[in-house]
Amino acid sequence: MAGKVKWVTDIEKSVLINNFEKRGWVQVAENEDWNFYWMSVQTIRNVFSVETGYRLSDDQIVNHFPNHYELTRKDLMVKNIKRYRKELEKEGSPLAEKDENGKYLYLDFVPVTYMLPADYNLFVEEFRKNPSSTWIMKPCGKAQGKGIFLINKLSQIKKWSRDSKTSSFVSQSTKEAYVISLYINNPLLIGGKKFDLRLYVLVSTYRPLRCYMYKLGFCRFCTVKYTRSTSELDNMFVHLTNVAIQKHGEDYNHIHGGKWTVSNLRLYLESTRGKEVTNKLFDEIHWIIVQSLKAVAPVMNNDKHCFECYGYDIIIDDRLKPWLIEVNASPSLSSSTASDRVLKYGLVSDTLNIAVPGGMVPDCRWNKSPPKEVLGNYEILYDEELAQGDGADRELRTRPSQSLGSKGGRSRDPGRTLSTNWK
């Protein structure tokens, strides 16, 4: 199609705007004809709301799926993963295998989680089984570490059960529902500090599922050394890796922003734990991401006008087991350091090259499978059509980490495509 792409955004970030301008795209107002809209999650809600009745035309593309929250709301993500496990169990899938204690062997990748106030009694029952445990409470709909706190006594949460009976609590419960999860109190530490991984995953279509992993993720470190001491339970500089919190710490470094690249982490782990163990860890992380996307694919509104770049947060424990903590619908495009800015500019650029091939006026009827040359730092993580055509079932009877790792002497580079192995 002739003509230049007309763009709109309600997120005023230079890494976005510079990318649009570099392509020679033309900025227009929201109420004018546009082809590409990089929008906030609030705006996507309005665009696809029943009341608005807005219909996108074939030459319009947006950066969120209508009900992305099925994955990006903490409570819904857990609910969908639980449902997915049960469905695989019913099908008799080897992935849903359990040990003698009834624990999933392969699908145990989210911490034990309950919704509050709805699951309060179930939580109490679980807490009493292991009264020395620590739990982390998070508001379902907030980000950047807002409203999060840790508890290790039932008395700290009794208020919830009392307040849930009052009308004032009920009236705001839809807004302020919380999840409470078993706290990973044995995180892998580097330099004595806790960290998590921020990884970027692009989904171009859910049915069939096609997703890409961005190779340039990073680790976010706490500024204060980790301790299990209950006296430091309220110290968020010890426990929460969010930059929005850590940047206020006395020891925050404004040059590197408390971040490491994923490639640095790999080098560190290869030198301290060995290459094979490191490969296995990253294979498991990639496998977890694919399983989480498969869990929500049946309920996701797979609108042909949509793509999505998610921010995945993963914590690795001291046994090198990865845990999926949450998925962000609008991973931050703010830059806390110079290298941050370079990374995020490149992330947006590579995302646009896949979502809007050739920088041409989009046509959402395109085949959403771009050639390898345009992927940049993305690599295909999973392609359902390829996987089905390749007889993926054959590898399912082995443990995921084995079938994805160096089984049979096969080693692999970071992010190498293993899509055909994953059911």
Side-chain angles (χ1 to χ4, degrees):
M1 290 172 79
K4 289 191 173 177
V5 174
K6 297 172 189 162
W7 64 269
V8 188
T9 186
D10 59 353
I11 300 172
E12 293 296 314
K13 296 290 178 191
S14 59
V15 292
L16 282 176
I17 292 158
N18 291 350
N19 261 297
F20 301 149
E21 289 175 346
K22 174 191 149 199
R23 285 165 170 73
W25 293 2
V26 180
Q27 184 173 13
V28 294
E30 191 184 348
N31 57 1
E32 294 180 86
D33 283 339
W34 53 266
N35 307 116
F36 185 91
Y37 197 151
W38 190 293
M39 56 179 69
S40 64
V41 289
Q42 291 80 11
T43 305
I44 198 78
R45 215 171 286 145
N46 300 335
V47 166
F48 286 107
S49 74
V50 181
E51 296 81 41
T52 318
Y54 195 96
R55 284 186 69 81
L56 296 176
S57 59
D58 283 344
D59 63 355
Q60 291 184 306
I61 286 185
V62 297
N63 64 313
H64 293 292
F65 287 91
N67 58 338
H68 62 83
Y69 45 79
E70 293 285 354
L71 179 63
T72 58
R73 250 186 82 106
K74 300 171 184 75
D75 52 344
L76 295 178
M77 178 190 84
V78 171
K79 178 183 147 195
N80 282 314
I81 288 171
K82 285 180 178 175
R83 190 202 70 247
Y84 176 63
R85 288 167 172 167
K86 283 186 180 136
E87 284 170 1
L88 287 177
E89 238 177 300
K90 270 188 211 158
E91 291 168 15
S93 167
L95 284 187
E97 201 182 322
K98 292 179 174 178
D99 65 14
E100 61 279 6
N101 301 315
K103 198 172 171 186
Y104 288 100
L105 287 174
Y106 313 124
L107 295 171
D108 175 39
F109 57 79
V110 287
V112 175
T113 299
Y114 297 96
M115 316 309 157
L116 290 182
D119 295 339
Y120 177 75
N121 292 333
L122 287 170
F123 160 70
V124 170
E125 202 179 307
E126 185 66 34
F127 185 92
R128 287 187 172 138
K129 285 182 199 165
N130 188 4
S132 60
S133 55
T134 299
W135 294 74
I136 184 164
M137 286 195 64
K138 301 178 181 181
C140 293
K142 288 186 179 165
Q144 299 186 322
K146 291 181 187 128
I148 295 178
F149 58 97
L150 275 63
I151 68 142
N152 63 349
K153 293 189 185 78
L154 270 183
S155 58
Q156 294 164 301
I157 206 174
K158 286 261 165 77
K159 184 172 175 286
W160 280 84
S161 64
R162 285 201 304 272
D163 288 358
S164 65
K165 295 182 179 75
T166 67
S167 57
S168 64
F169 187 91
V170 172
S171 65
Q172 53 170 306
S173 63
T174 48
K175 273 190 294 188
E176 282 296 289
Y178 270 66
V179 291
I180 187 161
S181 302
L182 191 59
Y183 183 61
I184 308 295
N185 66 357
N186 63 325
L188 176 67
L189 304 178
I190 296 179
K193 292 174 182 175
K194 178 181 170 180
F195 68 95
D196 74 352
L197 279 178
R198 163 55 60 87
L199 301 171
Y200 298 103
V201 176
L202 173 64
V203 177
S204 58
T205 163
Y206 270 100
R207 288 189 294 281
L209 178 60
R210 190 176 293 116
C211 56
Y212 305 83
M213 166 68 74
Y214 200 62
K215 289 184 282 185
L216 309 180
F218 53 88
C219 309
R220 303 178 297 187
F221 282 83
C222 289
T223 51
V224 176
K225 286 195 172 180
Y226 181 76
T227 172
R228 290 194 197 186
S229 166
T230 53
S231 64
E232 292 292 337
L233 218 55
D234 294 335
N235 187 344
M236 292 301 112
F237 297 122
V238 169
H239 297 287
L240 296 190
T241 57
N242 309 66
V243 175
I245 286 171
Q246 293 297 331
K247 69 182 180 185
H248 300 294
E250 283 176 31
D251 299 318
Y252 180 73
N253 184 308
H254 289 274
I255 296 165
H256 59 64
K259 291 177 181 176
W260 255 21
T261 63
V262 165
S263 52
N264 277 348
L265 175 66
R266 283 194 77 106
L267 287 170
Y268 171 82
L269 290 174
E270 284 174 8
S271 63
T272 55
R273 304 288 186 109
K275 194 159 189 171
E276 194 175 329
V277 171
T278 304
N279 282 346
K280 177 173 172 279
L281 166 67
F282 278 89
D283 285 336
E284 287 189 344
I285 289 171
H286 296 163
W287 186 83
I288 283 170
I289 290 169
V290 172
Q291 296 307 311
S292 70
L293 292 170
K294 287 182 160 217
V296 300
V299 294
M300 198 62 74
N301 184 340
N302 186 46
D303 194 292
K304 61 185 180 179
H305 303 92
C306 307
F307 69 92
E308 189 122 24
C309 179
Y310 296 105
Y312 269 75
D313 292 346
I314 306 273
I315 281 185
I316 303 164
D317 70 22
D318 59 9
R319 295 188 295 272
L320 289 200
K321 175 178 167 68
W323 296 90
L324 173 57
I325 302 303
E326 63 186 71
V327 184
N328 297 271
S330 284
S332 169
L333 293 176
S334 301
S335 309
S336 50
T337 65
S339 54
D340 223 16
R341 182 179 161 71
V342 171
L343 182 149
K344 285 168 182 175
Y345 179 86
L347 172 72
V348 172
S349 180
D350 291 345
T351 300
L352 293 177
N353 288 344
I354 294 172
V356 192
M360 311 286 286
V361 172
D363 183 339
C364 67
R365 296 165 299 184
W366 281 330
N367 168 15
K368 294 194 175 185
S369 186
K372 216 172 178 180
E373 308 79 73
V374 306
L375 298 186
N377 278 307
Y378 275 111
E379 286 193 332
I380 188 124
L381 183 62
Y382 182 78
D383 185 321
E384 192 172 3
E385 287 181 321
L386 269 180
Q388 287 173 346
D390 209 59
D393 285 351
R394 285 197 307 274
E395 295 235 27
L396 264 184
R397 301 210 171 269
T398 55
R399 182 182 162 163
S401 59
Q402 292 173 325
S403 66
L404 298 177
S406 53
K407 190 169 183 278
R410 179 184 65 186
S411 64
R412 73 180 198 81
D413 300 323
R416 177 178 147 197
T417 306
L418 291 171
S419 56
T420 52
N421 294 338
W422 295 338
K423 179 165 188 265

